[in-house]
Structure formats: structure tokens, C-alpha cells
Amino acid sequence: SQSNFLGTGNKVSLGLTRSDYQSNYNFSFVDPYWTVDGVSLGYNAFYRATDYDKLDYDVSSYSVDSLGGGVNVGYPISETSRLNFGLSAQQDKLKTGRYTVEEIMDFIDEEGKNYTNFKASAGWSESTLNRGLMATRGHSQSLVLESTIPGSDLSFYRLDYSGQIFAPLSSNYTLRFHTDLGYAESYGSTSELPFYENYYAGGFNSVRGFKDSSLGPRSTPSKNDPDQKPLPFGGNVLIQGGVELLFPMPFVKDQRSLRTVLFWDVGNVFDTHCSSAQKSRNEAGCGIKYDNLASSVGVGLTWVTALGPLSFSLGAPIKKPDNADTQVFQFSLGQTF
């Protein structure tokens, strides 16, 4: 990724990933000053092919191949906020495995395996942060509505909000409050939200102290493997947030590339349309129940290196929903607190 490609001021990104179970290729281009008034123009194209059947891993047994692209226009409405509008087209092909869970089979029986969807999006964003990386003052927030439009094989929408506030307590200590909220739903002739559009929670940048995507409702094991344990399946409602205390690392003089935090994370995903089998098991994430929110406390460290930010956390759950998987140590490359 290059923010000033060949000195033009344009941002160009190219991603290539290849592994035993996944191929992922994407390209994006953004001209931040398409007009002299600061209107931006961007477009992207991507191809993803995944085959989870080749993995002994805690994910549902299916694969999805996706091909698509889109265009986005951003319009500044003030020095700190802007509007964004986008159009995209995407083709998805689902393939089931031998042990595909019952919720996926039910969706395929109802909607089929191949879909071509056209999406429109509108969003608003605002930022008064004092830095683009490792801010210590100000706030940022965004609200995005995305929906399929006529001509699509499936009908669904999603509404997402993300926000954070930095409140300095002194020259060395700052409180950060943050939240992520999401709601997605089907409409029209589509009976339910496509399962691969579900929200997930748990892990880094979510509720630390829990394994990635381990929170929320679990799937119903395949009839071909009744001994299979229920796996994380996500949901159509996301509620997560928390508070962090930013403080200087002791005994280190140069703090410019370091950030240490004490954190309290809260969150979970819920499904307002659980299957009858999920309801019969009294899954913790069936229906929005605030007493099923997971929470954890811990300490984190971000170190900005030449390769990008390295972030580490040690988290201890203080409220653990049924079936949630815990994980004390977690790290990430390219993300900060």
C-alpha cells in the first residue's frame, strides 16, 4: 500500500494472499483530490476463494468464492467530516462440505448456492483526532448504511456505527472510550440474512481475552457428524465497546513509538432469528440479552515498528458466556489500540 503513489498523491493498494485453504487478491485506488474541492474518487476489485474443508479448524464447513468490485465517492461537508457514497457488484458461489452445519444447509435449501448482488452504500464520518496514528486527543465516529438494490438475488441491509473519544486526564494519562454497533437484516423475498454476512465478536479489536469470533450463538452439528461440537456462527446484531487508560511505559524515556493501556472490554453478537435447534439448546446469543455480554480486563502494548504497528494484549475474562473460548495472550500486526 502506497499513500503517495509515484508522487501523484493517490493511494494505491495491492493485496495477494495464497495458502492451502485460501486465495485472496485485491486492488484499490483512491484519488483523494479528484476535484479541487476535495471530492475523492476510489475504486476496487477483488477475488476470494476459500476452502475450509482442507482445515482442521473451528469454522463452519463450507467454502465461498467471491468476485466483485466497486466505486466510491467521498464529499467533504466540513473540515472534520465527510459523506461517502458507493456502488458495488459481487458474485458469490457457495460450496458445502461433508459436515456442513444445519443452519447453512437450511439457508441453501431456501436461497440456493449462487448469488449476484448489487449494493449501494451511504456513510458519514467525522474525525477531530490530533494524530492519524496513536491519537491522544479528540474523537472520531462513522455511520454507514449498506443495502442490496433491485436486480440482486438476495435482499438485505446492514447499519454500522463506530466511535471513539480520547479524554486527557493529564499530560501523561488519557481515557479512551470506544464502541462498535451493528445491525443487519433481510427484507423482501429473502427469508433471512445470509449467514456469511453475520457479525462476529471476540479477539483482538473486539473483546480481548476471548478467542477470535468465539462469542455469540453456535451452529447445529451436521447430521453426518452428530458428535461434532457446535461451532461459532455469528449473528445479525453486534454490541461491543469498552474503556482504556493510556499511560506511559515505566523506565522508557522515548514514548513516541509506544502505547500502553489498561482495558475493560464488553461485547457479544446476538441473533434475532435463531433456528429452532439453536433455541432448543438455549444458546446464549439467541435474542438480545444484555446479561449475556462478555467482558474482560487486561493490559495491552502497541509498538510502532518499521514493519508497522505490533500490538500485544494479556486479557482475563471477568464474565464468560456459555461455550465461549478464552485466550489470555493475543497479538496483531497492523492494528493499534
Side-chain angles (χ1 to χ4, degrees), residues 158-169:
R158 60 193 306 136
L159 181 64
D160 298 297
Y161 174 82
S162 180
Q164 61 177 342
I165 298 174
F166 291 87
L169 301 176

Side-chain angles (χ1 to χ4, degrees), residues 98-127:
R98 181 179 180 185
Y99 302 118
T100 301
V101 300
E102 290 301 304
E103 284 75 20
I104 294 178
M105 295 304 299
D106 291 343
F107 182 84
I108 289 175
D109 290 342
E110 183 76 20
E111 305 292 348
K113 291 185 176 182
N114 300 324
Y115 327 106
T116 299
N117 294 315
F118 304 96
K119 297 179 182 178
S121 65
W124 167 79
S125 62
E126 178 189 33
S127 177

